[in-house]
Amino acid sequence: MPASNVTINDIARELKVAPSTISRALNNKSQISEKTKKMVRQKAAELGYDINLVASGLSKNKSTIIGVLLPNINRYFFSQVVSGIESVANDKGYQIIIAQTNESLEREIEVARMFNSTRVAGVIACLSVKTTDVSHLEKLKKNGIPLVLFDRVDYAMDCQKIIVDNFDGAFQAVSHLIKTGCKKIAHLGGPSDCKVFQERARGFQEALEINQIELLPNFLLATDLTHEDVRGVFKRWMTALQRPDGIFVAGSDAGLLFTKMAVEAGIKVPDELAIVTFGDEPANEYICPSLSAVEMPGYDMGRTSISQLFDAIEGRSGDSGTIVKPLQLIVRRSSFKRD
């Protein structure tokens, strides 16, 4: 028979069990043994049966779909967050739908509307750098859809928030550069209207001030951290009369590109220019010189986000709160100067 016409009754007939058993097995109910669930799934796949999770959720007024809203899925940090979310969601029989905004507020609003209309069980979101109004996310909560924000959050929203201490991470990075002997330290920052980049810039400035290091003109720049921005800033700093001897970069991709450009320009890293970036990537360990970075605990943030969401879904918690995850400075060759 055509796969599109396969029903629960057809699977039940093949396995000689009640249709209710098939339904419970496909919906991962606890009263059905794992052996039976596996047998039912195999037969369903063999017959070409696919459960319509959205329709099933709407009919039962209980969805098993989690919406995950990200700025960019191709970033290592966000892929780690997704891995953490899935590690918990899959064990509880939930599926996730991932949507990326590409840093567009319009796209973020569109995805939130889609999550609303499909009545997902809950939403985990990281705001775009352009997001200043979160009314589209408030609508989720008004419709009874639990929400957890991570990394880039709106502190005024009544929901759980999972963050890192961006100020402290930047402070650690710049303090490390100072300890290695850097005196002219510059910061390649992110968008100035985004809270996480504001905090990183503030940590940079505080470390200089406490250590009585002068902040030289044009050594604190806010950009969109695009490749074009990085190339422009690199040329500006490296052709100036006063060149920096230490750089703190606010984003991982930008840090990798800046390091690559410095090496290609014949600049000795770290002896002439030490570099630390915010956000660690697998490539940081393998480029030459390897790149020092403030590591963000993406996997752990993902697991905590989904655990907090399930607490809200299952009525164990609905209160607003903020969980701050620790950061770790990983020192590699790009900022390790030998005496």
Side-chain angles (χ1 to χ4, degrees):
M1 68 184 71
S4 60
N5 294 330
V6 176
T7 68
I8 284 176
N9 288 332
D10 297 319
I11 303 171
R13 193 177 305 112
E14 289 278 333
L15 295 176
K16 295 181 173 55
V17 298
S20 59
T21 299
I22 303 299
S23 177
R24 293 189 184 104
L26 290 173
N27 284 284
N28 202 33
K29 297 298 183 181
S30 59
Q31 61 264 45
I32 304 297
S33 70
E34 287 302 319
K35 180 180 178 181
T36 300
K37 289 177 186 176
K38 183 178 180 180
M39 178 181 66
V40 169
R41 289 174 188 143
Q42 286 177 343
K43 181 57 68 173
E46 177 187 321
L47 296 176
Y49 176 83
D50 288 314
I51 185 171
N52 187 328
L53 294 175
V54 173
S56 176
L58 289 172
S59 65
K60 298 174 184 176
N61 201 28
K62 183 180 185 302
S63 174
T64 57
I65 299 175
I66 302 295
V68 179
L69 183 58
L70 306 173
N72 295 103
I73 189 61
N74 63 342
R75 299 290 172 85
Y76 180 70
F77 167 69
F78 291 122
S79 69
Q80 288 295 98
V81 171
V82 169
S83 294
I85 291 171
E86 284 197 317
S87 71
V88 177
N90 290 347
D91 286 345
K92 295 181 74 69
Y94 280 72
Q95 304 297 322
I96 68 171
I97 295 177
I98 303 170
Q100 60 179 349
T101 65
N102 291 314
E103 304 292 9
S104 164
L105 174 57
E106 291 74 19
R107 174 62 180 161
E108 186 175 286
I109 294 171
E110 181 184 330
V111 172
R113 188 180 297 119
M114 181 268 288
F115 285 159
N116 229 329
S117 64
T118 54
R119 290 296 190 272
V120 294
V123 172
I124 298 172
C126 175
L127 304 180
S128 81
V129 293
K130 307 295 184 184
T131 303
T132 55
D133 178 5
V134 292
S135 56
H136 53 292
L137 297 176
E138 294 283 6
K139 289 178 183 177
L140 293 168
K141 291 186 60 62
K142 287 179 182 177
N143 286 331
I145 299 174
L147 172 70
V148 171
L149 297 178
F150 75 94
D151 191 31
R152 302 181 205 153
V153 307
D154 186 301
Y155 290 95
M157 284 200 73
D158 182 22
C159 67
Q160 286 290 336
K161 294 166 277 285
I162 317 298
I163 63 170
V164 296
D165 190 336
N166 288 281
F167 172 89
D168 183 63
F171 186 88
Q172 286 185 51
V174 179
S175 297
H176 162 67
L177 288 172
I178 293 169
K179 287 177 183 177
T180 67
C182 295
K183 300 292 185 184
K184 297 177 289 183
I185 305 173
H187 177 42
L188 174 52
S192 60
D193 54 355
C194 182
K195 183 71 172 178
V196 298
F197 294 113
Q198 292 172 5
E199 288 297 295
R200 292 172 195 178
R202 195 167 67 84
F204 163 79
Q205 292 173 284
E206 184 78 6
L208 294 187
E209 185 175 332
I210 285 178
N211 288 279
Q212 298 181 334
I213 301 291
E214 181 185 4
L215 173 56
L216 298 174
N218 300 317
F219 274 21
L220 174 57
L221 299 177
T223 73
D224 288 332
L225 294 175
T226 64
H227 283 198
E228 184 180 357
D229 289 334
V230 175
R231 292 188 180 97
V233 171
F234 180 87
K235 182 177 180 181
R236 180 175 180 178
W237 282 343
M238 296 303 115
T239 58
L241 290 177
Q242 283 206 92
R243 286 175 25 169
D245 58 8
I247 303 285
F248 169 54
V249 186
S252 56
D253 280 3
L256 280 165
L257 178 57
F258 202 100
T259 304
K260 178 177 180 288
M261 293 182 68
V263 171
E264 289 176 347
I267 298 170
K268 295 178 182 177
V269 179
D271 297 325
E272 295 177 338
L273 179 67
I275 305 172
V276 180
T277 187
F278 202 108
D280 198 25
E281 302 274 343
N284 287 6
E285 189 174 353
Y286 301 111
I287 65 169
C288 187
S290 56
L291 181 56
S292 298
V294 177
E295 182 183 43
M296 296 182 69
Y299 185 81
D300 184 39
M301 290 178 78
R303 286 186 62 89
T304 302
S305 295
I306 188 67
S307 296
Q308 290 295 313
L309 188 67
F310 280 135
D311 282 349
I313 290 171
E314 297 166 7
R316 293 191 296 272
S317 170
D319 298 331
S320 177
T322 301
I323 297 173
V324 183
K325 293 293 183 179
L327 292 166
Q328 180 181 3
L329 174 63
I330 300 175
V331 177
R332 298 192 179 100
R333 190 71 188 93
S334 70
S335 66
F336 181 73
K337 296 184 179 181
R338 303 182 191 278
D339 295 331

